[in-house]
Amino acid sequence: MKNLNRLIYTDNLEESLEETASLFEHHIKFYTEIIEKDKKVIKTFNKDFKIEHAKEVLSKAHLKHSELNAFLIAAPSYGIEAQNALLKILEEPPNNVCFIMFAKSPNHVLATIKSRLIKEDKRQKIPLKPLDLDLSRLDLKDIYAFLKNLDKENFDSRENQREKIESLLESVNRHKIPLNEQELQAFDLAIKSNSSYYKLSYNLLPLLLSLLSKKKTP
C-alpha cells in the first residue's frame, strides 16, 4: 500500500484537517474537545496533545480495520511524552491504518517524529534566513567565529532563537548530511532547552561540534 503517513504544516489547523478528512471515507479525528455552553456545541482544539491522547490513538489504531482508516491528529502543541509514545506505531502502522499529523511549526514536533512521516508544508512561505556558516568547510575556527558573532546579536524572542536552530537543521538537510536517531534527538533537545539558556550559542555549540566530528569521520 502506498505510504500515506504525513506531517502537514499549516497556518490553519482546522481548515487543513477538514480538507484532509474529506479525502478519506473512513477517518478518526483526534483534535477537539466538545464543550456545551448555553445550549450550543462549541468545538475547540486541545491546548496540548498529551499522553492520554496518544494512548487513545494507540488503542483505536490496534483495533482490526477491514478498510483504510485515516487517523488525523492535530493540536497547537504536542507533549514530548505523547510523541515518544507514537514513535513505534508511526514506524510500523497496523494494517489499513494511516496517520496524518498537523502542526503549525516544525518546532512543535520532535525530529524523530518528522523522520518517520512524509512532510508537506501548506503554510504561507516565509523563508528561513540562512546561517552565515558553510557546513561543507566547517572547522573549529569557523565555529568559534560564528558563535562569537552570534552572541553579539540581539534576539527579540525565543522564537527567533529557535529559527536559528531550525536554520541549522535545514542547512544540514541541504548539504545532505545524514543524521542518526541520537543526532536528531540532539536537535530536539536544543529546541527544548532554548527556553532555559540565555545564550543561543550554548545550544548550538554541541550540535556544531557533532557535525564537525561527522565531517572528520571517514
Side-chain angles (χ1 to χ4, degrees), residues 131 133-138 167-181 183-184 187 207-217:
L131 293 178
L133 188 66
D134 186 354
L135 296 186
S136 64
R137 297 186 298 176
L138 192 65
S167 291
L168 176 59
L169 183 57
E170 185 177 272
S171 183
V172 168
N173 292 331
R174 189 168 60 251
H175 284 85
K176 298 182 179 180
I177 301 173
L179 298 178
N180 59 34
E181 192 92 351
E183 290 162 342
L184 285 170
F187 275 90
L207 299 176
L208 291 170
L209 290 177
S210 175
L211 293 172
L212 179 61
S213 176
K214 289 177 71 69
K215 180 183 175 184
K216 291 182 177 180
T217 302

Side-chain angles (χ1 to χ4, degrees), residues 132-150:
D132 185 21
L133 188 66
D134 186 354
L135 296 186
S136 64
R137 297 186 298 176
L138 192 65
D139 59 27
L140 282 174
K141 184 179 178 181
D142 291 334
I143 292 175
Y144 175 78
F146 172 72
L147 295 179
K148 186 176 180 180
N149 289 331
L150 200 64

